[in-house]
Amino acid sequence: MAISALAAGLAACGAADSTGTITNTVAATPGFVPGVPPGYQCPVVPNGFDPAGSIYRLDKSGTYYRVKDMSQDPKVLAMTGFKRDIPISNYALTDQQTASAGLSFEVLKNALPGLVASSKTDMKKDVSVSILVEDMKGEVIDDEVSDYILTWFKDNVKPKPGSTYFIVREAVKAGAVSYTLKQEDLAKLGGEAQMEALASGNANVTFRDNNGAFEIKQKFTPDRINICIKSDEIVLGKTSSGSAASGVEATLKPAEPVIKKVGEQES
């Protein structure tokens, strides 16, 4: 997992222009990217969410735990209902934070570890970061695949008290994310020299001055990294045995889970 911090809630939908690019200028809910349809969780910083066909759970505090990645199961791989490498248009958004102190800074710190803001910076004032998500591909599972994974879950998982379980139905992966700041915002976040020096120490990050608009571009190599997922909740019923995993009653329903932070992988 590349990034271990998430915050709650999907903010808002964007509108697609004639090129298919989705744009949104509404202030984002802290930690999440607007710009894709409802039902997707899109952390503002790509974080390596599990692929379509994986299972995760949220505990009472909203902490995310991986449970099982079923995407490499031989039976899943053999199913025609698992679609991969679906082309998706780039999308752009503006993260203009007024009430969410420090979000723009936290976004950039993940691209440029070690970034330090000016001591005079008041992060509660407007700091505008334009974000472009590029080189995207999607993957999706259909009902046949999700039903197979649900059967596996019923037979193999003993649900933890207080946890809610989910199957990832769709995932969006990006090859790069670009962050653009104006001169005045760059000064609030440490200045040009600091960012240029930090970028030079990371082979996957570049920094350039594009006629007064400063761009930080983060590439994910050798593989794309998941930036958005869409999930179904595994709705649990009673069990036929209080101790055995087998016998769990469970069905699926669409969900928009609130992920607040990330825990450790469980299997």
Side-chain angles (χ1 to χ4, degrees):
M1 171 111 12
I3 304 298
S4 61
L6 294 179
L10 182 68
C13 294
D17 63 19
S18 59
T19 67
T21 298
I22 300 174
T23 306
N24 192 303
T25 57
V26 178
T29 299
F32 278 73
V33 168
V36 294
Y40 281 86
Q41 287 70 52
C42 302
V44 93
V45 180
N47 61 14
F49 265 121
D50 286 348
S54 58
I55 302 169
Y56 67 95
R57 70 178 178 90
L58 300 181
D59 67 11
K60 291 180 179 179
S61 69
T63 300
Y64 167 102
Y65 294 91
R66 289 175 167 138
V67 176
K68 183 70 173 181
D69 179 5
M70 297 291 289
S71 66
Q72 299 303 310
D73 181 282
K75 291 186 178 179
V76 171
L77 291 171
M79 293 180 178
T80 58
F82 195 164
K83 306 296 184 183
R84 301 172 180 82
D85 294 327
I86 303 168
I88 301 174
S89 297
N90 294 346
Y91 73 80
L93 60 122
T94 298
D95 162 32
Q96 181 137 18
Q97 299 296 319
T98 57
S100 303
L103 175 58
S104 296
F105 184 57
E106 291 303 317
V107 170
L108 291 168
K109 277 176 60 179
N110 283 285
L112 299 171
L115 186 66
V116 177
S118 166
S119 60
K120 297 180 180 179
T121 299
D122 181 356
M123 297 307 299
K124 292 183 179 180
K125 294 182 179 179
D126 286 359
V127 174
S128 180
V129 181
S130 297
I131 303 173
L132 178 66
V133 187
E134 305 175 70
D135 189 22
M136 295 198 296
K137 294 289 183 72
E139 56 185 21
V140 60
I141 60 172
D142 67 8
D143 286 346
E144 178 190 13
V145 181
S146 63
D147 288 346
Y148 169 77
I149 295 171
L150 181 63
T151 298
W152 181 93
F153 176 90
K154 293 176 182 179
D155 293 341
N156 293 277
V157 176
K158 182 180 179 181
K160 296 181 181 295
S163 284
T164 307
Y165 289 78
F166 302 87
I167 293 176
V168 178
R169 293 292 301 260
E170 301 177 26
V172 177
K173 296 183 177 183
V177 177
S178 295
Y179 310 95
T180 303
L181 301 90
K182 296 179 181 179
Q183 178 70 56
E184 57 267 30
D185 291 320
L186 188 73
K188 298 173 187 176
L189 298 176
E192 181 177 353
Q194 180 187 175
M195 287 195 177
E196 190 169 18
L198 291 170
S200 66
N202 188 333
N204 295 328
V205 176
T206 56
F207 176 84
R208 69 188 184 100
D209 180 353
N210 186 14
N211 295 322
F214 296 88
E215 179 190 79
I216 301 96
K217 186 168 186 176
Q218 184 177 20
K219 292 185 177 180
F220 306 108
T221 56
D223 300 315
R224 291 179 179 85
I225 190 168
N226 285 29
I227 60 164
C228 301
I229 58 171
K230 189 172 186 177
S231 309
D232 275 356
E233 180 182 346
I234 301 175
V235 182
L236 301 173
K238 63 182 179 181
T239 62
S240 59
S241 169
S243 58
S246 181
V248 171
E249 292 181 4
T251 56
L252 294 175
K253 73 172 184 179
E256 295 186 30
V258 176
I259 304 170
K260 296 183 178 179
K261 58 183 179 178
V262 175
E264 299 297 325
Q265 183 169 341
E266 298 188 332
S267 66

